Amino acid sequence: MRVGRKHLEVATKWIPSAVYYGAAASLTLVYFTDWKIVVKYIPFYGSKFNN
């Protein structure tokens, strides 16, 4: 199966949605796992790790 111009046009329209979905999934993972390495750099939320 060849990937043509039409396939690339359709794929480029889905890129922003895929980026937003990936970012939301990553933030949800960080929120539920309380990943201290990343969470300590989030403003306001990371202040609970100052001790």
Side-chain angles (χ1 to χ4, degrees), residues 1-2 4 11 13-14 16 21-22 27-28 30 33 36 43 45-46 51:
M1 180 176 185
R2 282 184 54 189
K13 291 181 181 180
W14 282 93
Y21 182 78
L27 287 175
T28 302
V30 168
T33 59
K36 290 182 182 181
Y45 186 74
N51 296 336

Side-chain angles (χ1 to χ4, degrees), residues 21-48:
Y21 182 78
S26 299
L27 287 175
T28 302
L29 178 68
V30 168
Y31 178 78
F32 284 114
T33 59
D34 212 22
W35 195 17
K36 290 182 182 181
I37 296 170
V38 175
V39 174
K40 68 181 178 181
Y41 295 109
I42 298 174
F44 302 110
Y45 186 74
S47 64
K48 72 178 192 176

Side-chain angles (χ1 to χ4, degrees), residues 10-24:
V10 171
T12 56
K13 291 181 181 180
W14 282 93
I15 289 173
S17 297
V19 169
Y20 290 138
Y21 182 78

